């Protein structure tokens, strides 16, 4: 797979550099600030098999994209509970606390919004926690898909189907642990 900078794609937001990786079955969109810090990550299903495509918005980010590929590979092999990449979170203190608690949820496990609210010292704050998670800018770095409502799956910033897929996949990565 060739990784190369491209000058042909126009940037939608002049304040952010946006790059993407299309690797079956996902397309990842990475947004960087002017200091080349990751500030947002979006992903969705990508159905063009076996086509691979990478757009790097600036030559300085080539190393970052290579590291992203290593991290995403380790994550989907079940070797890492979340992506551990340099980034910048610009959140209010309460939101920052809630988002950072997501890294404490073990791989393959789930908790409810109310449990996360209690951990964040926000009694009866499950709706506030849900709103914070809906705005999580880095969902694979801070795995909010592991938080569900007391009634079931609930929403996910990248879509309910992806949330279901990630939970199903993580559960089955640890399937041997569940039957022994």
């Amino acid at each position: 797979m060739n990784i190369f900078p491209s000058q042909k794609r126009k940037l939608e937001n002049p304040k952010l550099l946006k790059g993407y990786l299309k690797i079956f079955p996902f397309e990842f969109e990475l947004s960087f600030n002017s200091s080349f810090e990751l500030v947002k990550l979006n992903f969705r299903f990508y159905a063009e098999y076996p086509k691979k495509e990478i757009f790097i918005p600036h030559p300085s980010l080539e190393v970052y994209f290579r590291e992203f590929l290593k991290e995403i590979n380790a994550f989907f092999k079940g070797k890492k509970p979340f992506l551990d990449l340099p980034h910048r979170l610009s959140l209010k203190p309460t939101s920052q606390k809630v988002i950072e608690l997501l890294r404490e949820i073990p791989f393959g496990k789930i908790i409810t919004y109310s449990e996360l609210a209690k951990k964040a010292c926000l009694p009866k704050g499950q709706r506030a926690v849900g709103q914070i998670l809906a705005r999580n800018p880095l969902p694979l770095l801070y795995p909010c898909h592991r938080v569900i409502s007391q009634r079931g799956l609930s929403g996910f910033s990248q879509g309910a189907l992806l949330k279901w897929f990630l939970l199903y996949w993580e559960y089955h990565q640890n399937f041997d642990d569940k039957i022994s």
Side-chain angles (χ1 to χ4, degrees):
M1 170 181 8
N2 292 329
I3 300 176
F4 55 91
S6 173
Q7 304 301 321
K8 294 180 183 177
R9 188 171 164 120
K10 292 182 181 180
L11 300 177
E12 296 168 9
N13 181 342
K15 295 179 184 178
L16 292 178
L17 296 170
K18 292 188 177 189
Y20 65 85
L21 296 130
K22 293 179 178 179
I23 303 167
F24 183 79
F26 300 108
E27 177 179 358
F28 300 95
E29 182 183 86
L30 293 82
S31 299
F32 300 87
N33 62 19
S34 58
S35 300
F36 303 118
E37 297 167 310
L38 182 67
V39 294
K40 186 153 182 66
L41 170 66
N42 288 317
F43 64 103
R44 60 186 161 268
F45 284 115
Y46 171 70
E48 291 185 42
Y49 180 80
K51 186 178 175 186
K52 296 176 185 172
E53 189 177 337
I54 298 176
F55 169 72
I56 301 173
H58 192 278
S60 299
L61 291 169
E62 184 174 341
V63 171
Y64 195 96
F65 274 73
R66 288 185 188 280
E67 189 61 28
F68 179 83
L69 285 168
K70 288 180 192 171
E71 287 286 317
I72 204 73
N73 190 35
F75 176 77
F76 280 109
K77 285 184 176 178
K79 295 179 180 178
K80 295 192 115 182
F82 51 82
L83 304 188
D84 191 14
L85 295 161
H87 61 279
R88 161 104 32 199
L89 274 179
S90 298
L91 303 170
K92 293 179 180 177
T94 302
S95 297
Q96 182 97 14
K97 182 178 183 180
V98 169
I99 293 291
E100 288 175 355
L101 285 169
L102 295 170
R103 287 187 164 190
E104 296 177 11
I105 305 169
F107 184 86
K109 304 293 181 190
I110 55 172
I111 65 170
T112 64
Y113 291 104
S114 328
E115 291 169 327
L116 185 57
K118 287 176 189 168
K119 286 183 178 195
C121 301
L122 298 170
K124 299 190 181 202
Q126 59 266 27
R127 286 188 185 189
V129 164
Q131 290 173 348
I132 291 167
L133 298 188
R135 293 187 301 269
N136 177 3
L138 302 165
L140 292 177
L141 282 74
Y142 297 93
C144 54
H145 63 276
R146 297 180 188 144
V147 184
I148 63 169
S149 79
Q150 291 176 341
R151 295 184 194 139
L153 196 59
S154 67
F156 181 52
S157 64
Q158 308 300 305
L161 181 61
L162 271 171
K163 182 173 188 165
W164 178 89
F165 171 81
L166 290 169
L167 291 173
Y168 179 86
W169 172 79
E170 285 185 14
Y171 177 82
H172 287 283
Q173 287 291 317
N174 290 330
F175 191 70
D176 290 339
D177 297 340
K178 296 184 179 22
I179 60 173
S180 27

